[in-house]
Amino acid sequence: FATARYGLFRIGELVRASGRDQSPVVQITDVRLCREGFEITICDFKHNSNRTPHRIVIPRLPSEPICPASLLRAYLAERGGAEGPLFVLKGKHVTRAAFSSTLRRTLTGLGLNTDRIKGHSFRIGAATWLAARGASDAQIRAIGRWHSNAFM
């Protein structure tokens, strides 16, 4: 969830629609440790017809209650392996249904409304968070890979 939020990911960039789906998702080989936290390079995303690589940083935020880079580091240590989709569950890529189900269970456990928070909420929430921290519209558009003002 932290990777989705802080990377402004579309859920389809991280997990596949189904067990049979072979659409491109972020691979473990796309992730690298960097000065700012972790860098994830993606080429397959909406509106990227020329497949230009895009660098996404999952930041270190040690002063925040949740540090997304620390969570990703812990996940990578548990995940093991050197290839395949970044997010796996029992050795298989995570599906959208599994992601959504886990999100619902987590929200229910926290006593939050499962009707109002969905997979896309991470992307929307991150854009709002960036705006609250003073990022310009142009910066938010670039970070989130938007080609329009849809993020507004």
Side-chain angles (χ1 to χ4, degrees), residues 128-139:
T128 303
W129 177 76
L130 286 168
R133 296 187 114 200
S136 71
D137 289 351
Q139 289 170 317

Side-chain angles (χ1 to χ4, degrees), residues 48-135:
N48 191 25
S49 57
N50 62 1
R51 296 185 36 86
T52 303
H54 185 83
R55 178 180 175 255
I56 297 168
V57 174
I58 303 302
R60 287 187 188 140
L61 298 172
S63 62
E64 297 285 325
I66 295 173
C67 175
S70 294
L71 292 174
L72 186 55
R73 181 185 306 275
Y75 168 75
L76 291 171
E78 287 294 318
R79 182 199 184 281
E83 58 184 51
L86 173 59
F87 292 108
V88 294
L89 182 63
K90 298 178 184 174
K92 298 190 185 273
H93 67 266
V94 175
T95 64
R96 185 179 294 272
F99 181 93
S100 296
S101 174
T102 301
L103 177 58
R104 269 192 310 279
R105 284 194 317 273
T106 301
L107 293 171
T108 299
L110 293 170
L112 298 173
N113 186 342
T114 60
D115 293 331
R116 294 188 46 130
I117 302 171
K118 303 292 182 197
H120 201 66
S121 299
F122 296 108
R123 190 164 159 78
I124 296 164
T128 303
W129 177 76
L130 286 168
R133 296 187 114 200

Side-chain angles (χ1 to χ4, degrees), residues 7-57:
L8 284 90
F9 279 101
R10 293 173 180 91
I11 299 310
E13 295 167 344
L14 296 175
V15 302
R16 293 191 171 140
S18 69
R20 293 189 176 133
D21 180 19
Q22 291 300 310
S23 59
V25 294
V26 172
Q27 301 291 298
I28 194 166
T29 53
D30 298 329
V31 180
R32 289 177 184 67
L33 185 61
C34 69
R35 184 174 42 91
E36 301 95 345
F38 283 92
E39 177 181 292
I40 300 175
T41 303
I42 63 171
C43 294
D44 292 299
F45 58 93
K46 190 175 180 178
H47 305 303
N48 191 25
S49 57
N50 62 1
R51 296 185 36 86
T52 303
H54 185 83
R55 178 180 175 255
I56 297 168
V57 174

